[in-house]
Amino acid sequence: MDLSSLRDTVQRNCHISDALHARNYTLCTYLLKMREFYRWEKGFPFDVSLPKDDLGDWITEREALWEQLEIDRFEPLRLGQSQIDPFETSVINQELTAQGLVYSGGYGGYAAPHFFLAELLRTERREGLPVLIAGREHARDMAAPPAMLLDGTLFIRRESMRRMLWEKIEEWRWKQHQDAMARAMAQYDFDADFTQALEQMTDNEVESALLHEIGEWRAEALLGEDWPALLLAVSGSRGEIVARAVRDHLADCTSTLPTLLDQENAAGLHFYFANLKGMRRELFPELSEAYQSWVEGGRLQALRAMVQQGAPRWSETAMHLLQLHRENPGSCAVEIGRLYAK
């Protein structure tokens, strides 16, 4: 197998996806993601300041490349004598995992394709599900989700998780608020050994990501085949944001949070609430209130109770969204968006 050629094909598909979807972000988020994409591509360590002029030139060149590629089709991957559709992830990994590699090609938020090619660190099974944990990445798109459930397999991208954590630490350093992120970081000794602390935090959050994806798998089994059709119907609307937030809460109230609470994993809990933002926070303000009760009183009872209440609540809510879709598939995006508007 020609790894260089395979890497180039996957990266080209990543560029095509970015050409179509990278500008969906707000300007601030876009520039932050491009900054860190540049760091990854050029191999700069986290503690090295990026050359501003070179970064600006790189962004200009990358945007010009996207303009050339935005009408191109995704290329098949050549493995041996076969050319395989880039979304045939299971077929591709049958060839690659034996060679210490892992690949994924699937769709994320706003129906945006995501691709990556990486070294395979290890494989596991959780609740009967195969888990592929990736290490150093050879190809990726601008957005690099650290975890994904795809075709009955859990993909965990450790390098992307580590990079995402570093970005959040950097963002916190600019603000220095005494918030959930500060409390999460306080669980590790960043002052004594930043690198070791980041590795420990990465290991902990890889486990949290696994728990969330297991919750997603449970939600998938509960909600059935109609849920992907609902997401397609509401794609790109406020309704999609609502639907994804509802399913996230269902996953977290049935897997992530119960396990973190059982483990009394303070670092994981604080980091979870540091990232409870946007629609997820808007839909479930009682959860943040229960977290604050723990922070102020040091006891987890209120948070445990709210998580227990959340499991049936978000199951029923998800079923309601499915019913709206069945009744009015063409207009459910507007209905769902209005249903949970402020």
Side-chain angles (χ1 to χ4, degrees), residues 17 21 24-25 74 87 89 104-115 141 143-150 157 213 216 227-228 230-237 240-241 244 248:
S17 179
H21 298 283
N24 290 345
Y25 297 98
F74 296 117
F87 294 100
T89 297
S104 176
Y107 289 91
Y110 296 102
H114 292 292
F115 305 98
D141 36 40
M148 178 180 286
L149 174 64
L150 179 63
R157 300 168 63 175
E213 295 305 321
E216 288 277 0
W227 189 262
L230 182 153
L231 288 181
L232 185 61
V234 300
S235 178
S237 70
E240 180 184 3
I241 300 172
R244 289 187 180 277
D248 278 343

Side-chain angles (χ1 to χ4, degrees), residues 187-215:
Q187 304 298 311
Y188 308 94
D189 198 348
F190 279 98
D191 291 335
D193 190 330
F194 183 92
T195 300
Q196 181 180 5
L198 182 58
E199 290 298 318
Q200 292 170 343
M201 192 176 193
T202 301
D203 287 339
N204 200 34
E205 294 312 318
V206 160
E207 183 63 26
S208 293
L210 265 171
L211 292 172
H212 176 79
E213 295 305 321
I214 288 170

Side-chain angles (χ1 to χ4, degrees), residues 126-127 129 154 209-218 255:
R126 297 288 184 96
E127 297 192 8
L129 282 172
L154 300 183
L210 265 171
L211 292 172
H212 176 79
E213 295 305 321
I214 288 170
E216 288 277 0
W217 176 70
R218 293 174 181 172
S255 178

